[in-house]
Amino acid sequence: MAAVQGGVVDGKEEVSIKAEPQSDGTGTGDAADGTPPSASPGSGAAAGGGKAAAGAPEDQQTLLAVLQFLSRNKLSESAEILRREAGLPEDALEPKGTETSGSGPGGAGDVDGGDPASLLSRVTVCPAAAPALAKVTAGDDQPDVSVVLSAYSQQGDPALYQVYYRDLKKFIEMVLDCHRAELSQVFYPLFVHMYLELVYNNHENEAKAFFEKFSGDQECYYEDDLRVLSGLTKKEHMRGNETLLDFRTSKFVLRISRDSYQLLKRHLQERQNNQIWSIIQEHLYIDIFDGMPRSKSQIDAMSGSLAGEAKREANKAKVYYGLLKEPEIELPLDDEDEEAENEEGKPKKKKPKKDSMGSKSKKQDPNAPSQNRIPLPELKDSDKLDKIMYMKEATKRIRLGADNLPSICFYSFLNAYQGLTAVDFTDDSSLIAGGFADSTVRVWSVTPKKLRKVKSAADLNLIDKESDDVLERIMDEKTASESKILCGHSGPVYGISFSPDRNYLLSSAEDGTVRLWSLQTFTCLVAYKGHNYPVWDTQFSPFGYYFVSGGHDRVARLWATDHYQPLRMFAGHLADVTCTCFHPNSNYVVTGSSDRTIRLWDVLTGNCVRIFTGHKGPIHALAFSPNGKFLASGATDGRVLLWDIGHGLMVGELKGHTDTVYSLRFSRDGEILASGSMDNTVRLWDAMKAFDDLETDDFTAATGHIHLQDNSQELLLGTYMTKSTPVIHLHFTRRNLLLAAGAYNP
Amino acid sequence: MAEERRQKQCSVVLPTESMKAMAESVGVGQLQEESCIALSEEVSYRIKEIAQDALKFMHHGKRRKLTTSDIDNALKLKNVEPLYGFQSQEFIPFRFASGGGRELHFYEEKEVDLSDIINTPLPRVPLDVSLKAHWLSIEGVQPSIPENPPPATKEQQKTESTEPLKVVKPGQEEEGTIQGKGQGASAPDGKGKEKGLIRLKPRSTHELSVEQQLYYKEITEACVGSCEAKRAEALQSIATDPGLYQMLPRFSTFISEGVRVNVVQNNLALLIYLMRMVKALMDNPTLYLEKYLHELIPAVVTCIVSKQLCLRPDVDNHWALRDFAARLMAQSCKTFSTTTNNIQSRITKTFTKSWLDDKTQWTTRYGCIAGLAELGPDVIKTLILPRLTVEGARIKAVMEGSVVSNIDKIGAEHVQSLLLKHCASVIAKIRPQPDNVEQYRADYGYLGPMLCSHVVKARTQAALQAQQVNRTTLTITQPRPTLSVSQSGLSGSGGPRTPSIIKVPSSLTLMSPRPGTPSQPSPPATKYIVMGTSAGAASTQQVITLSSSQSASPVTCTVPSATSTLQPLVKLESGSGPGITTSRPLQKYIVVSLPSSASSSLEPKSSVLSTSISSTPLETGMKLERSESPGASTQSPH
């Protein structure tokens, strides 16, 4: 702060600022370490290099400045390359340049891959970027390094910004219809960057005028961001604002056809509109494709996220979306099944048995990951028993369809006083847990079986460990009750998840911890600390053992219950990770964020393998179809979007809800998608139909251009209003009865 | 619009005056203008930032309302110490103050003595969270149970009856008609498709499910059956159940047919039961009755004006039924009359026409007058008062004439008391003070002297109430929101207003299956005076006429005795908000039973009683008996 206002820049001060992120400030080597995380220096340098090639004298000067900077920070190798590329004589460099240090190439490499690196360590980006800013401000008039490094310092006449923008607007309004929609995409990022440039260069009034003039033209789905932007009128404000930092450091991605792009380029060059051109070059990533320009509706379907659309190559990685093979436990199942049937005195039916056999003898899905791609926990005896129960229930499952809708049982939380924040059911629907704003977690038994604790250690010593009903004997009958309260968090509980074996419960809360509770003793076993900010959601893997959490720190973490530190950190979202979900084969994790994107992460490598854009609001619900092929997502915009994971495409849009969709669930066989929302309704959608008539021809898959027909009304099978009870959780029982839960708000 | 709003968003900055005020409050005296501007911009920005973060917490808390704890959490996120202190569940209103050329908005923060807090009794422990399950849908069909919202909202029922092409009934839509549901979503692209289709009104079959048929059978049987307890339950169900919409046509037919048959058979009891059903239907907030008025209104009117309603007109109290039906009529006029259907004017015309007819029987005459009188003081003033002389002459002819049938005499008596009851209060309002008997005789003929005494009584009562009311308005100034009620509207010659907090419109209480209703035909009405006294001995009075039962009905044999009817009266609830229940002293009620014949001599006694007790301001929100209807029968505060 002081440095900024002082406007004095000398080497010493610079070093001292740079040393901020790391406490041990020991001169120049340290400064070199400070560079890589902020991506802007890299891009700035690259731009400088490009300009030097053009041969303008002032560019030469900036180039020299860059060289000077590099050599001062002992990045001699990079300096050498730059010098050679720019065609500068050797003597342009100062003698220092000959010293080589190991950090040079490393630093250069980091600059190249700056984007992921900066995102990976958001924590370090923030403080690191701030000094970068601070440095930049000082050198407004001086031909100093900082001028080149600053992302926003290149300024034209502030009064001309409006003219530039209006000029471009006029041009885009005049072009042929087929190009207009595509080129209009440029408006929003340009608008934001121009506004930020004005703000950054202390032209407050011009910035305000600019905002007032053109903010109304922007697409309505950017309104939330614009609101943030409108509050920001001073350079000082930019420092702490993470949204803006992201906007600055990550490039806004646009997809534009080659023809449209050429048009734009020609126009800008004709008009000598360097201001806009340089913004486009520096801050936008234009993904050019060959072929027909896209229509307005196609563009609208995919846009809306904080950082533009996903790059095409981002969704090219192979995803093994198939299911894992079921473990071989048919034999006991059949025996049990027959026994059970015999006991009931019913004639034995061959048919269901055959079915279950048939489904299991299925060959390995070519799209499935190998069985041991990630290590999965061994099946215990109790798990096998549960599997058998599952199979048995599955044979009694109702087949749902458009004319066979499920019954819905609604669990209302009464007297919750607006405090219910999260709900989960166990897979066998025997327990229900609620997270509350008063930091408690409550567990109810919805079957006649009451909740009991295990006896104390002293009492456990007394029981006969050899007896057959030892599992029954260890339970303390005196503690039997219908519900139990788990206390331990120190802030509102936002996420809750049962383990598949019903022995554990996870909860994540505002206090930054994820807690693992035992449902045997009803005590807290572990508090996983790592997120320092509120943890919005947590989910167990379908096989147990692993779980994922995501929170305000924009990172999703993968944990194993027996490690107190995360196994993977999934970084890349530009805003809070609002919801998380495991793929049925447990090899992938999907996260939704308030940057309005959905990302699919590979658990094995930790890479982001899919980025889905198209939502216009923070995402609050995610669900995989049972076959693992499709993903459904719901957001505050009230829309539910359907995605094909294999092709990385949006395949459907379900409109109908009028408020945030908080819960999504596919029926056990995947025929029906149920969605629950803040608008007090449960809606049922025909998932079969939605996925049936998909046009997944090669062209669509290759270009990623989707044609969505608006058929939400045909797909909507039913709307069920509750009596002022927002629906915050849905669950299909093993027999396809739909359970819904929410707190009654009188 | 959005643009404008956004522009506003851009420019909203806290005024520099607030900065100054805040600086002063923490002891910084002279803050320079520039610093103020800088501060206000910074503060505005930070506040916006915090608000945006707080919004996040609200979304994750799955709420629509931003709470103080959200703000606290947002502050915590920014590493700012959150605000400590009591959290307020209620909305904290800003107060406005100006002075010294400055305007301020602030909220009242009283300094609270800690010992006060410690010494106050603990508030009631809030109810614990509990879980309740119900069926939201059974195989795709939403059951009509109280836990679910009514299948068709009133608006929906209304649009259906007024614009049948626009709405598809829930539960009836199939693939073809499913677009109707999309109206809420209003997909812009869907419009083109819908234009092409010609919308046909779906056949409204009103088919009832087996359960609904059973329910219908049970309800109708209970309503006209002999067991009073069952009937009460059935009526309660009709008045509250949200899912009756499908059955409404059946009910309406049941009532109209029932009235038609029972009028012919002179079955008074059944007619009363049917009217109570009408009342219950009208009380049900989820039903849209407009479509069935053509069946219900004739039935009700029949019960008001029919020549004969019972087998022994000289003994049975069919008058109560007429009164009751008249009140129902008035209520439906009030709720359903519009400029298009003109219910009120049509009804008024009907009544007036038959009243003017000389050959009209006394029974019908009574019904017409009752029907008109219930429509309000304006109707009384314009239609009844001018005819008082004529009517008086007619009554005189019967009363003092030589050979008249007993029935005529009784009829004339009733008409007379009815006229006195309704006209007195109106006259008291429109006539200037000195009440001269001779003057009255000149103006109103035979009824003049009696009217005069009634008017005098009405005046004293009004004065008494005005006195109390005036005092009440004084007490209101103390900050008790639930008490600051528009009771002052009663003072002096104010129009007919009911106190607004007490949602007990006289017509509403009528049909509650309590003794107040004419559950049984019974000729002599007993009157009760209920005195409500609070600790400060403020009192108000209610005159309640109860038709104490007599097993006069030939059909039914239930005999609710006077003692049983008495009981609910004591449960009289003071109708004020729950907010003050803890601090308010208990109310006492005195129930005085008067001889049944004393209806005319009732008023002086009651006023004497009340004056003897009342002296201090009325503190409770109890309903005041309005002066214009001191003798209103079947008043039962619920």
Side-chain angles (χ1 to χ4, degrees), chain A residues 316-428:
Chain A
K316 287 281 180 265
K318 164 108 176 122
V319 173
Y320 301 98
Y321 54 80
L323 300 184
L324 296 178
K325 232 163 74 181
E326 286 290 324
E328 309 276 326
I329 46 166
E330 306 102 76
L331 269 175
L333 160 79
D334 283 359
D335 289 347
E336 291 265 328
D337 210 15
E338 278 166 31
E339 270 171 38
E341 299 234 309
N342 285 339
E343 273 167 19
E344 282 163 31
K346 278 186 202 161
K348 222 169 18 173
K349 280 181 208 155
K350 283 286 173 203
K351 217 182 161 205
K353 186 180 147 196
K354 247 182 205 165
D355 270 0
S356 58
M357 286 290 279
S359 68
K360 260 180 267 104
S361 59
K362 200 169 52 182
K363 270 182 238 151
Q364 173 82 23
D365 187 342
N367 287 313
S370 62
Q371 206 70 14
N372 49 4
R373 189 165 176 268
I374 60 163
L376 290 174
E378 288 277 311
L379 275 185
K380 293 189 296 252
D381 285 349
S382 58
D383 295 333
K384 281 182 186 154
L385 277 175
D386 198 54
K387 273 270 186 303
I388 291 162
M389 277 304 292
Y390 175 79
M391 299 287 186
K392 267 201 248 171
E393 294 258 337
T395 57
K396 293 176 190 158
R397 183 181 296 162
I398 302 163
R399 286 206 77 79
L400 298 176
D403 16 72
N404 200 5
L405 295 177
S407 299
I408 308 173
C409 180
F410 201 99
Y411 285 93
S412 305
F413 286 79
L414 305 174
N415 310 318
Y417 306 103
Q418 300 254 329
L420 183 72
T421 46
V423 177
D424 196 28
F425 286 96
T426 51
D427 188 66
D428 69 347

Side-chain angles (χ1 to χ4, degrees), chain B residues 23-223:
Chain B
E24 276 169 29
S25 71
V26 293
V28 178
Q30 294 294 316
L31 204 61
Q32 284 183 354
E33 192 63 25
E34 273 176 37
S35 345
C36 281
I37 292 171
L39 268 177
S40 71
E41 276 175 359
E42 178 67 14
V43 170
S44 318
Y45 173 70
R46 297 293 163 205
I47 287 178
K48 281 178 198 169
E49 227 180 18
I50 286 163
Q52 280 156 6
D53 275 339
L55 218 57
K56 239 180 230 174
F57 283 94
M58 183 193 79
H59 275 300
H60 282 282
K62 284 148 183 133
R63 274 173 283 120
R64 278 204 199 85
K65 215 197 263 170
L66 194 74
T67 62
T68 47
S69 60
D70 290 333
I71 307 267
D72 282 350
N73 286 334
L75 286 169
K76 231 169 121 186
L77 210 62
K78 295 254 169 254
N79 249 335
V80 182
E81 202 160 335
L83 304 166
Y84 296 110
F86 289 112
Q87 290 185 350
S88 174
Q89 292 297 319
E90 292 132 47
F91 171 70
I92 308 168
F94 274 102
R95 310 234 165 174
F96 176 77
S98 61
R102 285 211 280 180
E103 291 178 341
L104 267 183
H105 288 271
F106 65 100
Y107 73 88
E108 241 185 328
E109 255 184 321
K110 270 181 252 159
E111 279 188 21
V112 186
D113 192 354
L114 214 55
S115 61
D116 278 358
I117 294 177
I118 293 165
N119 291 333
T120 44
L122 289 173
R124 223 156 39 106
V125 177
L127 292 169
D128 197 19
V129 187
S130 60
L131 206 57
K132 186 172 187 293
H134 72 268
W135 290 107
L136 186 65
S137 145
I138 296 169
E139 286 171 4
V141 182
Q142 189 162 28
S144 322
I145 47 175
E147 285 89 348
N148 286 330
T153 59
K154 224 170 173 183
E155 288 72 41
Q156 216 171 330
Q157 293 176 36
K158 188 174 172 185
T159 37
E160 190 193 334
S161 60
T162 48
E163 294 161 281
L165 290 186
K166 275 201 175 168
V167 177
V168 177
K169 241 177 268 120
Q172 285 195 347
E173 59 252 291
E174 296 300 321
E175 270 88 322
T177 57
I178 218 152
Q179 274 137 337
K181 274 192 289 190
Q183 236 141 33
S186 75
D189 303 330
K191 269 182 195 161
K193 227 191 279 171
E194 282 175 28
K195 259 180 214 162
L197 291 173
I198 298 166
R199 282 281 197 74
L200 291 178
K201 190 194 174 192
R203 215 151 39 91
S204 47
T205 46
H206 293 288
E207 255 169 36
L208 299 188
S209 64
V210 181
E211 294 82 7
Q212 281 174 319
Q213 287 173 25
L214 274 176
Y215 173 82
Y216 174 76
K217 189 166 156 273
E218 284 290 319
I219 286 283
T220 44
E221 274 173 8
C223 279

Side-chain angles (χ1 to χ4, degrees), chain A residues 615-677:
Chain A
H615 271 298
K616 319 288 190 239
I619 288 132
H620 277 278
L622 291 166
F624 279 101
S625 67
N627 60 11
K629 265 187 178 170
F630 301 103
L631 174 71
S633 61
T636 51
D637 56 7
R639 298 180 319 148
V640 174
L641 296 183
L642 305 173
W643 311 89
D644 181 331
I645 296 165
H647 297 95
L649 287 177
M650 186 196 294
V651 291
E653 178 186 12
L654 306 174
K655 283 191 256 184
H657 283 294
T658 55
D659 208 331
T660 311
V661 177
Y662 274 120
S663 184
L664 284 169
R665 206 45 73 105
F666 282 94
S667 67
R668 293 282 176 158
D669 297 320
E671 304 102 333
I672 300 266
L673 173 65
S675 60
S677 158

Side-chain angles (χ1 to χ4, degrees), chain B residues 286-341:
Chain B
T286 62
L287 291 178
Y288 180 77
L289 280 182
E290 272 84 337
K291 270 170 89 178
Y292 306 99
L293 287 180
H294 65 281
E295 284 188 312
L296 295 178
I297 286 191
V300 174
V301 173
T302 306
C303 288
I304 303 175
V305 297
S306 176
K307 262 184 269 179
Q308 198 177 356
L309 289 170
C310 47
L311 285 174
R312 293 170 295 166
D314 46 342
V315 189
D316 293 341
N317 186 5
H318 57 96
W319 313 105
L321 172 63
R322 289 176 202 276
D323 281 339
F324 179 64
R327 223 163 282 132
L328 270 183
M329 195 59 238
Q331 192 193 343
S332 49
C333 278
K334 214 184 284 168
T335 34
F336 303 121
S337 188
T338 60
T339 44
T340 39
N341 64 18

Side-chain angles (χ1 to χ4, degrees), chain B residues 477-516:
Chain B
T477 49
Q478 52 179 281
R480 269 211 180 156
T482 40
L483 279 184
S484 59
V485 189
S486 61
Q487 281 180 339
S488 55
L490 291 172
S491 63
S493 60
R497 291 180 55 185
T498 39
S500 59
I501 26 154
I502 308 142
K503 298 260 172 63
V504 193
S506 55
S507 48
L508 229 167
T509 54
L510 286 174
M511 199 45 196
S512 60
R514 293 224 179 120

